[in-house]
Amino acid sequence: MSTTPPPQAPLTVVPRPDSDDRGADDGALGWLRALGPRGRRAFAGAFGGYALDSYDYFTLPLSMVALAAYFGLDSGQTGLFTTVTLVVSAVGGALAGVLADRIGRVRALLLTVITYAVFTVACGFAPNYETLLVFRALQGLGFGGEWAVGAILVAEYASAKHRGRTLGAIQSSWAVGWALAAIVYTVVFSVADDALAWRIMFWTGALPALLVVWVRRSVHDAPEAAAARERSPGKGSFRAIFAPGTGDAPGLLRITVFAALLSTGVQGGYYTLATWVPTYLKDERGLSVVGTGGYLTFLISGAFIGYLTGGHLTDRLGRRRNIWLFALLSALCILAYANIPAGADTLLLVLGFPLGFCMSAIFSGFGSYLAELYPTAVRGTGQGFTYNTGRAVGAVFPTTVGFLADSWGVGGALVFGAIGYGVAAIALLGLPETRGKELA
C-alpha cells in the first residue's frame, strides 16, 4: 500500500450536465444555485444530518442537571459524559473518514447517522450511570463521523470560489439542531417530572431515521470526485496522512499534526461552553428552565448568524485569517461572560449573542480548509482523523472544568476554555493558506 498520496494534479472544473448555474455567482444565494440539483440534494442531506447530530448531542448537556440529581453524580462524573463522547468520537470519525474514501461519501454518511440515532435512543433506557456512560460512548461513534463525511460530500460539489460560504452554511445547521433541542428541552422539562423528562429527551433522538430514508434514495457522491477517488491508489490509508515525504514529495505528516492541533484548540474551547453553560445558567445564576431557554435563544441565534458570517469571511479573508480573528474574539468573549457580576442578568443575556457568534464563526472555515489540505484519495481519512482527534483531546477541557467547578465554580472554570483558542492560533503557524484551491 502506498505511503504517500498521489500527486495533486489540477482538476478541470466544467459545468455538470445537471447544473442550472448560469448566473449562479449573482445574489446572496449564488453559492447554493452553483451547486446544481445534485449538489443541492447533497447539501440538504448533509445539512439535515449535521442538524440532527447536533440535536442528539445536546440532549445530554441540556439534561445534565436532571441526570446528576437522578443518579447522584458530582461535577466530575457529569463532565465524564462529555469526555467519553468526544474521545470515542475520535475513533468513530477516523473510521468514518476511511469508509468515506473506500465505500463513498453517501454510504458512510448513512452509517454515521444510523449509529448516533440508535445509541441516543438507547441512552433513554439506561438503568444506571455506568450503562448510560457506555451508551453515550457508543453514540460518539456516529457523532464523530457525520460532520467530516457530510462536509466532504458537499465540498466536492462546491466551487473554490464559494466553498467557504457553502460549508459555513452546513456548519450553521449545528445551531439549528441546538435550537431544536433547546425548544424540546423547554417543553419536555416543563410538562414532565425531571426523573422522566431526561429519558424523553433521549428518546426523541430517533428523529434521524426519517433522514436516512430520504438520503438513501436521493443523494449521490459528486461524480468527478468519485471517479478521481476510484482511480487513486492507497484510498483511505492512515499511513498516507502520516507520510513524512521524500525528496520533492512533501508528504502529509506536518499537515496532519498541525490540523489536529488546530482542531483540538477550537473544539476544546467550544465544548467547554456547550457542555457547561446550561449548568452555569441554571445552578449558579439561578435561572428557571424557561429562563435558561431564553438565554440560550440569544446564544444560539448568535451561533447561527456566526456560522453564516464566518462562511463569507473565510472566502474573503482566507481560511487562516478567519480562524485567527475569531480565536481572539472567542477568548475575549469567554472571559467577559464568565466575569459578569451577580445580578447583572440583562448583561448576561446580551453577551450571549456575541459569545455564540464568535465561537461558531471560527468553525465556518473548517469544512473547506480541511478538505483543501488533503488530496482526494485520503480526504475523508485526513479530515475525519484531524477533526475528531481534536474532539478527543479537546475533551480534556470540559472535564477539567467539571473537576474545577467544585472549587472555582462553573463560571470561574469556564475561563479555562479560552486557553483552547490560544492553542488554535499557534497551530495555524504550521499550516498553509488554501483559499481558491481546486480539489484534485
Side-chain angles (χ1 to χ4, degrees):
M1 181 176 291
S2 173
T3 59
T4 57
Q8 297 190 43
L11 178 66
T12 302
V13 178
V14 296
R16 292 182 295 274
D18 63 319
S19 178
D20 57 354
D21 61 355
R22 287 177 297 178
D25 288 350
D26 300 330
L29 295 177
W31 59 269
L32 184 61
R33 291 193 296 271
L35 288 171
R38 285 189 177 184
R40 287 193 288 273
R41 288 196 295 272
F43 177 89
F47 188 98
Y50 197 46
L52 293 170
D53 195 9
S54 169
Y55 178 89
D56 280 10
Y57 173 79
F58 279 106
T59 54
L60 176 65
L62 290 169
S63 304
M64 196 84 85
V65 173
L67 282 169
Y70 186 86
F71 291 117
L73 309 177
D74 59 29
S75 296
Q77 288 174 306
T78 53
L80 190 59
F81 279 126
T82 298
T83 300
V84 167
T85 303
L86 300 183
V87 169
V88 176
S89 77
V91 178
L95 292 176
V98 171
L99 286 174
D101 286 334
R102 294 186 178 182
I103 68 173
R105 313 321 190 194
V106 172
R107 289 179 180 176
L109 180 66
L110 290 172
L111 288 174
T112 63
V113 173
I114 291 169
T115 301
Y116 74 66
V118 167
F119 287 108
T120 299
V121 173
C123 286
F125 293 98
N128 51 50
Y129 170 70
E130 293 77 14
T131 303
L132 181 57
L133 197 63
V134 170
F135 285 155
R136 187 64 178 180
L138 293 173
Q139 188 256 14
L141 288 174
F143 167 72
E146 194 286 332
W147 178 83
V149 176
I152 295 167
L153 171 67
V154 177
E156 292 176 339
Y157 273 105
S159 67
K161 178 180 180 180
H162 295 128
R163 191 173 295 119
R165 69 200 73 179
T166 303
L167 272 296
I170 292 291
Q171 290 277 179
S172 74
S173 67
W174 182 265
V176 173
W178 189 3
L180 179 60
I183 292 170
V184 174
Y185 158 80
T186 302
V187 173
V188 170
F189 276 81
S190 296
V191 301
D193 183 80
D194 283 10
L196 176 62
W198 69 265
R199 293 188 184 275
I200 296 174
M201 284 293 295
F202 284 120
W203 293 335
T204 61
L207 288 171
L210 300 175
L211 177 71
V212 167
V213 175
W214 182 80
V215 168
R216 184 178 180 185
R217 299 175 63 179
S218 305
V219 181
H220 306 279
D221 289 1
E224 297 95 334
R229 188 177 67 250
E230 289 302 317
R231 292 194 301 267
S232 300
K235 294 181 293 183
S237 168
F238 279 119
R239 294 177 64 189
I241 67 172
F242 286 102
T246 55
D248 294 332
L252 292 171
L253 176 61
R254 180 186 178 91
I255 294 294
T256 299
V257 170
F258 280 99
L261 186 63
L262 171 66
S263 183
T264 295
V266 172
Q267 296 195 80
Y270 179 85
Y271 283 109
T272 296
L273 294 169
T275 301
W276 287 107
V277 163
T279 300
Y280 171 63
L281 294 175
K282 190 170 183 180
D283 281 3
E284 294 196 9
R285 308 302 300 213
L287 299 181
S288 65
V289 169
V290 175
T292 301
Y295 280 75
L296 287 177
T297 298
F298 272 74
L299 187 66
I300 295 168
S301 297
F304 181 75
I305 297 174
Y307 283 127
L308 296 179
T309 303
H312 282 272
L313 288 178
T314 198
D315 280 336
R316 290 181 177 272
L317 302 178
R319 313 322 188 201
R320 297 168 82 237
R321 288 181 180 177
N322 183 71
I323 295 173
W324 259 323
L325 171 65
F326 287 108
L328 173 62
L329 294 178
S330 295
L332 292 176
C333 282
I334 290 177
L335 296 176
Y337 197 74
N339 288 282
I340 296 173
D345 288 347
T346 300
L347 183 58
L348 189 73
L349 176 68
V350 172
L351 276 180
F353 186 89
L355 178 67
F357 181 93
C358 294
M359 73 180 196
S360 300
I362 194 172
F363 274 106
S364 295
F366 263 56
S368 52
Y369 195 29
L370 295 181
E372 291 160 355
L373 287 172
Y374 289 95
T376 302
V378 292
R379 185 166 296 128
T381 305
Q383 187 156 336
F385 177 84
T386 55
Y387 190 80
N388 288 287
T389 295
R391 270 181 173 166
V393 181
V396 172
F397 289 76
T399 301
T400 301
V401 170
F403 284 105
L404 291 176
D406 292 332
S407 56
W408 293 15
V410 175
L414 281 176
V415 176
F416 192 76
I419 297 173
Y421 292 110
V423 171
I426 294 172
L428 285 170
L429 298 174
L431 294 170
E433 177 57 58
T434 60
R435 180 178 58 166
K437 181 178 181 179
E438 296 291 350
L439 297 187

